[in-house]
Amino acid sequence: MNASLAPDERAEMVLKEMTLDEKIRLLHGMGMPGWPREVQNPQPELGNGGAGFVLGVPRLGIPMIQMSDAAYGVRSSAENGRYSTAMPASVGAAASWDTEAACVYGTVIGKELRAQGFNMTLGGGVNLTREPRNGRTFEYLGEDPVLAGTLVGNLMKCEQAQHVIGDIKHYALNDQESGRNEVDAIISKRAARESDLLAFEIGVGIAQPGAVMCSYNAVNGDFGCENKYLLTEVLKKDWGFKGFVISDWGGTHSTVKASAAGLDNEEPLDEFFGAKLKAAVEGGKVSTAELDEHVRRVLRAEFASGIIDFPTQKGVVDVVGDLEAARKVEEQSAVLLKNANALLPLDRAAVKSIAVIGPHANEGMMSGSGSAQVDAPGRPSAGWMAQVWFPPSPLSALQKKFPSASVQFDAGANPASAAELAKKSDVAIVFAYQWMSEGMDLADLSLPVKQDEIISAVAAANPKTIVVLETGTAVTMPWLDKVGAVLEAWYAGSQGAYAVANILTGDANPSAKLPMTFPKSEADLPHPQLVKPGPGQTGDDAVMRTGEAKPTFSVKYDEGLKVGYKWYDAEKKAVLFPFGYGLSYTTFAYSGLKVAAGRETTVSFTVRNTGGRDGAEIAEVYAALPEAAGEPPKRLVGWSKVWLKAGESKEVSASVPAKYLSVFDESADGWKLTPGTYTFRVGGSSGDLPLTQTAELK
Ligand code: BGC
């Protein structure tokens, strides 16, 4: 209990005192309510109503680990009679490009976890958007490894600072839900290291999380949770990860192989890391040194995160403070995609009538489902994979903003009647959604339930039509030319309606930029057809229960390095909206690019607010590598979010670590800088980079 000693030392002292049974106890879970299998949770009363728990060692002061899913807020609060704030979906946090907003995001979740009696989060999803139809895209942070890794790192660093064991997941290449338990992701080492794995590398480096969750899928033949290359060679050795590897729920498939590969903790039960692990240790198939290494990692994470020095104490969640934080993050996360003739912000003095249209615009704002689901206040749990709408409704938020205007609602069930209302209103606002969940992928990127038809009809009746999108990924917009404005609000969280109303009226000036490309159509994706398991290959049950699992089909990531904008750039495909794109109610100009090459390359330039409002600009820095590097045309290497008063200008600089300019050399098994001419390009979107400067790097 001497807190002045290093976590490693303290872990070692405890380890020395432990019996074999006590050690085994730390390496597996004790069940999850409702977990579908024969052997049920042996001591459910000891759980805290979360996704799982690990027994402690009371005689040595080692507490239980109580885990909860917490992607955008603490899960399962309704069943437990508690309250959780829903932050905007992680993809929205990524759209803020804001490390401070990410920190606030993590802090809110960390505090609410502890107030509810949890001391470990299962948040921190950072799988790259390689496949935008992936049903969990809303839980992740977009398509660029530097952006996604930096934000998940800051988010988890701040979450863990609240004394919960942090987690980053699902390691790795769990980039689609279709057949996730048995798909084998095939990819070259170089492509993996420079894309999906780079996001994890950066995130793990910044957050130093207590845990990394290995994924269900296989990678190049071996399941994520028994993949020695991923778990030991890359994560633990190369990146120096000091925490423990926890399996995704039911993602463990063996004892000896998984232990040797570097899995430290099986969840949610003890099929492989309970009695079987004990027998393997006693039979000499798993060495004591290997066993001790697993235990040491769990103990170290407990000391390092502070769950031992700061035991959880249940309390009342700071509802008001956290709602305020959720609103501010959403105001920085909603991306203004179109604003013809400065239709927005709406002038409160001039607008006398508003048509609010959309299937649920009188109910609330959409949220993402699956294990990420946060329960909406005032309602019971909606159950697995149900659509949940968070109050307040955008209709009521707009009625509050426009107390003297006529704000009327039409669900859009009949496009003609919606168009009628739009026609007699000054402006029409359509709230359109696309629901996503863990456990499924989207069939396509179109809005469901005939919303394209509704939007087209409304826009034909009133060109002052504003579309607010509540989606977890990219969408196609066949009506784009006909509408006046488009705001991508993502899944906007507990205060989404107020944040959107603030943006629509200019009380908040949008600054977010897309963390993923919006393609024109699915035909332009690297894999126009989603790769799905064949007949008889969807046996989740077989995989999760028996452990005799093998990947049954594969997805070949032959686009390799070309994820997201790197693909569209290299293939010269025009897109609907490029990565990094987003408008503001003011305008910005760039000048004076200077590049100082060195161990870290510093890129500096001036950004001026040339419009009439205060605002923030996300200034993006890309690099084109020398031809010999064999890379896609450009990659994001840094950015700076600059807050500028109307007319103000600032010199900003971004420092670019050598790794961000390097390529992964498979033969040397390391990162290498290709000597030659590097072109740095700076601007407000990957599609609009007015400043260019070259530099020679050796
Ligand atoms: C999900 C994880 C989640 C776990 C526990 C799994 O199905 O893939 O993200 O943390 O369940 O709920």
Side-chain angles (χ1 to χ4, degrees), residues 32 35 50-52 68-70 75 122-123 136 139-140 167 169-170 174 177 180 213-214 216 247-250 267-268 370-372 384 438 544:
M32 176 188 193
W35 181 250
S68 176
D69 282 301
R75 183 189 181 189
L122 301 173
R136 302 187 82 169
E139 282 187 59
Y140 303 142
D167 169 52
K169 71 186 185 185
H170 309 84
N174 187 177
E177 286 294 280
R180 66 175 177 174
M213 185 189 290
C214 49
Y216 285 129
S247 80
D248 199 343
W249 267 229
E267 291 303 326
S371 60
W384 180 250
E438 173 182 346
M544 309 241 262

Side-chain angles (χ1 to χ4, degrees), residues 10 31 86 100 174 211 246 320 329 336 344 529:
R10 299 174 75 185
E100 281 167 38
N174 187 177
I246 182 171
V320 175
V329 172
L336 182 62
L344 294 175
Q529 294 293 327

Side-chain angles (χ1 to χ4, degrees), residues 190 194 561-562 570 624-633 635 663-664 674:
R190 171 174 174 184
E194 290 185 30
L561 301 168
K562 292 183 273 176
L625 272 56
E627 191 83 31
E631 287 286 310
R635 51 162 80 165
V663 298
F664 190 81
T674 311

Side-chain angles (χ1 to χ4, degrees), residues 176 178-179 182-183 530-540 551-554:
Q176 66 173 50
S178 302
E182 43 191 319
V183 65
L530 196 69
V531 184
K532 290 195 163 161
Q537 293 180 332
T538 47
D540 273 13
T552 55
F553 75 109
S554 58

